Amino acid sequence: ILPWLLFTRTVSRTSAAASSNRALLVYPHIYPIDFMLGRIFIEAVTSFVVISILLGAAFLFEGFVPQNPLMGLCALITLSLMGGGIGMINATIISLFTAYDTFFKPMQRLLYFTSGIFFVVSDFPSGVQDKLSWQPILNCVEWLRTALLPSYDNSHFYSMTYVTLMALTLFITGMMLERLRRRTHRIP
């Protein structure tokens, strides 16, 4: 559930970063992107510390050793970039249409149930697996499971390239939208 929490907290906190710090926008060199990038960084670091503490406790008490911690870190960074990108896109859309937030919540619930935190993809028939393979959060969860669990190998299911490209596309799109919308975010 920790990868899902990293994603959703990054999305929701990034989406609200500019509006909750609006009073600071009176300073000439502060822009909404500053709050958003700061929030993405804070959420990522907080999640990495929590996961590191849990993995350290698992090592001390159970002798658990992650199979490939660097690959797990890459999966978490990708998930942070994806959440930050969606958060920046949401912040821009919310600045135009405040009702969008009520539309995004049900979509986020659908992502929650298909993110792979409640199930293992290999338990489904191949037709369902093919459809689920397009869910980028599920790809990150499978990537993280494969990286951390020595006995779990589902590397044929997820695509690091697809997820990384999706995360970078969302992040760059979010930054471009924020840049295009910057003038309306400013307080006169």
Side-chain angles (χ1 to χ4, degrees):
I1 197 158
L2 291 176
W4 172 256
L5 291 176
L6 167 63
F7 174 77
T8 56
R9 287 177 61 98
T10 304
V11 168
S12 63
R13 300 278 169 90
T14 304
S15 296
S19 61
S20 62
N21 293 301
R22 190 165 295 279
L24 294 174
L25 292 174
V26 297
Y27 296 107
H29 296 293
I30 296 180
Y31 299 101
I33 192 72
D34 298 329
F35 304 129
M36 293 179 201
L37 292 175
R39 186 44 77 177
I40 293 166
F41 180 76
I42 288 170
E43 293 303 323
V45 169
T46 303
S47 293
F48 296 152
V49 168
V50 168
I51 290 171
S52 298
I53 290 170
L54 291 174
L55 287 175
F59 173 74
L60 287 175
F61 297 115
E62 299 291 327
F64 174 76
V65 178
Q67 180 174 330
N68 191 342
L70 186 59
M71 194 164 96
L73 181 64
C74 289
L76 292 172
I77 289 171
T78 303
L79 202 54
S80 292
L81 284 175
M82 191 181 320
I86 292 174
M88 287 188 283
I89 292 169
N90 284 351
T92 305
I93 294 172
I94 289 169
S95 72
L96 295 169
F97 310 105
T98 53
Y100 173 76
D101 195 31
T102 58
F103 171 74
F104 184 72
K105 297 290 184 193
M107 271 186 359
Q108 198 169 10
R109 281 191 177 62
L110 177 65
L111 290 174
Y112 176 66
F113 289 116
T114 61
S115 66
I117 58 173
F118 296 121
F119 57 84
V120 178
V121 179
S122 58
D123 291 343
F124 289 103
S126 62
V128 175
Q129 288 181 11
D130 292 341
K131 288 175 181 53
L132 287 174
S133 69
W134 290 99
Q135 216 280 33
I137 301 166
L138 176 62
N139 275 270
C140 282
V141 169
E142 290 296 314
W143 184 7
L144 188 62
R145 283 180 183 155
T146 302
L148 296 182
L149 304 173
S151 62
Y152 187 83
D153 184 23
N154 209 6
S155 56
H156 64 279
F157 174 76
Y158 67 89
S159 170
M160 289 185 274
T161 307
Y162 166 68
V163 174
T164 304
L165 287 175
M166 176 69 78
L168 289 173
T169 301
L170 288 168
F171 194 80
I172 291 169
T173 302
M175 291 186 77
M176 287 174 28
L177 286 174
E178 190 280 331
R179 179 70 175 133
L180 289 172
R181 191 71 180 134
R182 184 173 288 178
R183 287 195 175 111
T184 59
H185 281 283
R186 301 295 295 170
I187 294 176

